[in-house]
Amino acid sequence: AIRSAVGARHAAPRRDRARMTHHDSCDAAATAPEAHARELDRLLREMDDVKEIDFLATMDVFRADDASMSTSAAPRNASMMPDAFYACERTIAMSYACVRAVHAWTRERVAEEREDVDVAACALCVNGDHVTAWNARKRRLVRHGVDDDALRRELAFVSVILSRFPKAPSAWAHRRWTLTRAALD
């Protein structure tokens, strides 16, 4: 989104460039982090069997693989943002630029309760030791009722985060909290 907005601005004729303000280009850049967070949230919701999150410098390797795989049985990228994400089988790979964008967008919004985006989940995908995000997930679990299915989903999510951040003390504490709730039921 940023490349297309910037590219369009630079490709515009000189008279159109004069009408485009600095504010217009900042608005285009400001919406990109939210778009990345929304896409990550969509992938987490649709791919309920995610087992791993990974960060990569670039998605070029996957674009080359997609071009070389011509059979319909080959795994396909489930992401609508192939420059930022590669979501295939049970893994979500994110570019470093995407990680920075999601981190920046979730930083101020992590304690918000939103219906459209699970901000806490997005924040935890880029920073597994985010105490405020883990506490937001605990509050939501308690508010919506802690049943066996919800606890199983939460443990699966914690496992995904621990696959990327194996030494995150907050993630381990949340896992322990979730297991304690499961034992109490």
Side-chain angles (χ1 to χ4, degrees):
I2 292 175
R3 267 191 224 161
S4 61
V6 171
R9 190 180 93 216
H10 290 296
R14 185 171 293 272
R15 66 180 180 277
D16 290 339
R17 275 192 223 153
R19 277 187 252 155
M20 186 173 281
T21 65
H22 173 72
H23 180 70
D24 293 335
S25 62
C26 288
D27 284 346
T31 59
E34 182 177 0
H36 285 99
R38 286 183 180 279
E39 177 64 2
L40 177 58
D41 181 62
R42 185 190 72 79
L43 291 170
L44 289 170
R45 289 177 198 258
E46 289 183 5
M47 298 174 62
D48 58 350
D49 63 341
V50 173
K51 295 294 180 200
E52 185 179 15
I53 293 177
D54 203 1
F55 302 158
L56 301 172
T58 179
M59 295 291 135
D60 291 341
V61 150
F62 295 114
R63 276 194 293 276
D65 286 348
D66 278 347
S68 67
M69 293 183 193
S70 60
T71 64
S72 60
R76 287 288 183 220
N77 187 358
S79 174
M80 291 189 271
M81 299 176 85
D83 288 338
F85 296 96
Y86 188 80
C88 188
E89 295 173 354
R90 299 168 73 170
T91 301
I92 297 175
M94 303 168 61
S95 69
Y96 288 131
C98 176
V99 170
R100 285 188 298 275
V102 171
H103 186 267
W105 189 79
T106 59
R107 188 177 307 128
E108 294 91 24
R109 295 168 183 84
V110 74
E112 292 178 11
E113 282 290 324
R114 295 175 61 134
E115 295 298 320
D116 57 340
V117 178
D118 187 350
V119 180
C122 292
L124 290 165
C125 286
V126 297
N127 177 7
D129 201 28
H130 198 304
V131 177
T132 306
W134 286 119
N135 288 335
R137 290 188 70 85
K138 286 177 188 144
R139 282 191 301 273
R140 189 179 54 215
L141 271 172
V142 169
R143 188 176 318 112
H144 293 284
V146 182
D147 61 357
D148 289 342
D149 191 43
L151 291 173
R152 268 196 286 294
R153 283 192 312 269
E154 191 65 16
L155 282 172
F157 178 75
V158 173
S159 295
V160 170
I161 300 304
L162 286 170
S163 76
R164 177 65 191 154
F165 304 100
K167 294 184 178 182
S170 299
W172 286 105
H174 187 76
R175 182 177 184 274
R176 185 173 43 248
W177 179 88
T178 307
L179 289 170
T180 303
R181 294 302 167 270
L184 293 175
D185 285 348

